[in-house]
Amino acid sequence: MSSDVTSAYLRGLQNGLPICLGYLSVSFTFGMMCTENDLPFWIAVLISMTNLTSAGQFAGTGLIISGGSLFEIGITTFVINIRYLLMSLSLSQKIDPNLPVPQRLVMSFGVTDEIFGVSMQHKGKIPFAYFFGLMTAPFWGWALGTLIGATAVSLLPDMVRSALGIAIYGMFLAVIIPPARTEHSLAWVIVIAAVISCLFYYMPVLNRLSSGWVIIICAVAASSFAALKWPVKDEEEEA
Amino acid sequence: MEHGYNYAYVLIAVAVMAIVTYIPRFLPLTFMRRKIQNRFIKSFLYYVPYAVLAAMTLPGILYSTSSMISAATGMIAAVFLAYKDKGLLVVALGAVFVVFVTEQLMAFL
């Protein structure tokens, strides 16, 4: 391994630590939910390690517990996760066009809201080693949190568990706020998306839409508006 | 709750979930190799991460802890620290710390 690759990997690993922390607390809840419904701990961990997603796997597992049909499970999970199409497409523009397929397949597995959000902060092209480093800690955090939640349901005091719940959102804010201080278009995107998201949460009828669709609607509406009003300049090609 | 699971069903369901989760993740990333030239699409994709994360943060953050009051104080702390450009870990842990302290204080009220 060249020192460039190593340092990119380590940088990714470091940036992934806050995501890992947030994931530990969320997956802990997932593990608990499985155990409370008599699913063996190894199935809970298997789900976390093969799905590596929050909303989709909670919903899918809920359907398994209630004995839903495979079709229903597949459609529900897919709809919630359709937003990854958008992220995967954004990411495809930020990597080396010659990156081989195996690396692309590995990166794809790590496309979560949080890993994607942090990776897009990378200046210029995202090296594979960086992205791989970035997804490492969150992956293990997600698996480990599930295992702990499923096996030792009452290990963490409630107060700590409750406080950890906010970690992931703190990280989101740390990603979106600093660049929005100087770029007003970004501030508007954030406000518009947040307002639409709240509308879909609080308004009757609208709040029946699944969270996956809500995120897609927010992303498409806010980003299209900003793209029309403040098209990005062409010079941010390569850094 | 008592469940007698059919493990073949559970394992196939898990596989279905894993596959349909992976499909939207790998399709564009694997097959989209050319640079998008269209300025609107480029701009759109530039704004997507901010929109996605903002939509996930609100109102979700308000329900991320055991009370909306502690969540709101944690959110204010996080916004403040993020505005000061304090880095991911400091912002995340700062928010956790403020929520923890707020909930300890609330326990006395």
Side-chain angles (χ1 to χ4, degrees):
Chain A
M1 252 213 251
S2 78
S3 69
D4 256 14
V5 171
T6 312
S7 81
Y9 178 82
L10 290 176
R11 212 155 20 87
L13 200 61
Q14 193 192 351
N15 292 355
L17 289 178
I19 309 180
C20 171
L21 184 85
Y23 279 13
L24 268 172
S25 60
V26 178
S27 60
F28 186 90
T29 319
F30 176 74
M32 281 188 349
M33 172 183 113
C34 290
T35 300
E36 279 161 7
N37 289 286
D38 300 323
L39 276 175
F41 78 90
W42 61 270
I43 286 192
V45 175
L46 180 72
I47 294 173
S48 281
M49 293 181 84
T50 54
N51 282 250
L52 188 64
T53 184
S54 54
Q57 104 180 35
F58 271 94
T61 307
L63 287 169
I64 291 179
I65 289 165
S66 62
S69 73
L70 291 175
F71 181 74
E72 192 183 357
I73 291 169
I75 292 293
T76 305
T77 314
F78 184 70
V79 167
I80 292 174
N81 290 328
I82 253 178
R83 67 184 186 283
Y84 291 139
L85 271 178
L86 230 47
M87 300 182 205
S88 175
L89 184 62
S90 282
L91 216 44
S92 76
Q93 301 296 304
K94 284 273 284 179
I95 59 174
D96 177 1
N98 298 317
L99 190 71
V101 168
Q103 274 93 324
R104 285 170 185 256
L105 292 177
V106 171
M107 282 178 75
S108 304
F109 185 71
V111 177
T112 69
D113 306 299
E114 300 79 16
I115 296 171
F116 165 73
V118 171
S119 72
M120 292 300 280
Q121 302 301 301
H122 196 279
K123 296 271 176 274
K125 292 267 181 274
I126 301 170
F128 172 73
Y130 173 79
F131 196 92
F132 189 67
L134 187 62
M135 61 192 270
T136 303
F139 173 77
W140 291 110
W142 192 244
L144 186 67
T146 306
L147 180 65
I148 296 172
T151 53
V153 173
S154 54
L155 197 78
L156 277 180
D158 277 352
M159 285 264 188
V160 174
R161 196 144 37 92
S162 165
L164 278 175
I166 204 169
I168 216 150
Y169 297 99
M171 201 201 62
F172 290 166
L173 291 167
V175 169
I176 62 182
I177 289 181
R181 287 177 311 176
T182 47
E183 276 188 68
H184 289 268
S185 55
L186 291 179
W188 277 110
V189 167
I190 292 166
V191 169
I192 294 167
V195 168
I196 299 175
S197 166
C198 287
L199 284 179
F200 274 94
Y201 192 89
Y202 293 112
M203 299 287 279
V205 185
L206 289 185
N207 62 14
R208 294 168 63 183
L209 204 60
S210 83
S211 67
W213 285 115
V214 172
I215 289 163
I216 292 170
I217 291 169
C218 294
V220 169
S223 306
S224 316
F225 175 76
L228 288 172
K229 204 156 161 61
W230 304 283
V232 293
K233 290 173 211 80
D234 257 342
E235 97 269 338
E236 22 182 302
E237 277 299 291
E238 187 64 10
Chain B
M1 215 199 258
E2 200 58 47
H3 277 101
Y5 287 107
N6 169 351
Y7 283 99
Y9 158 76
V10 173
L11 290 175
I12 293 168
V14 172
V16 167
M17 284 161 61
I19 292 165
V20 300
T21 303
Y22 191 62
I23 288 171
R25 282 175 167 164
F26 96 94
L27 281 179
L29 196 51
T30 307
F31 297 110
M32 188 67 198
R33 278 158 184 275
R34 58 187 183 84
K35 200 82 199 149
I36 293 172
Q37 297 301 334
N38 182 295
R39 197 164 176 217
F40 173 79
I41 297 175
K42 280 167 82 167
S43 307
F44 177 85
L45 293 176
Y46 170 75
Y47 291 119
V48 161
Y50 299 93
V52 168
L53 293 185
M56 299 204 55
T57 303
L58 278 168
I61 190 170
L62 297 173
Y63 304 94
S64 65
T65 70
S66 58
S67 103
M68 207 189 264
I69 296 170
S70 65
T73 52
M75 179 175 80
I76 292 166
V79 169
F80 176 77
L81 291 169
Y83 196 82
K84 295 276 168 200
D85 209 358
K86 293 295 183 197
L88 303 182
L89 202 54
V90 173
V91 177
L93 290 180
V96 168
F97 178 75
V98 169
V99 168
F100 186 76
V101 170
T102 308
E103 290 187 358
Q104 295 290 334
L105 288 174
M106 285 166 65
F108 285 109
L109 297 177

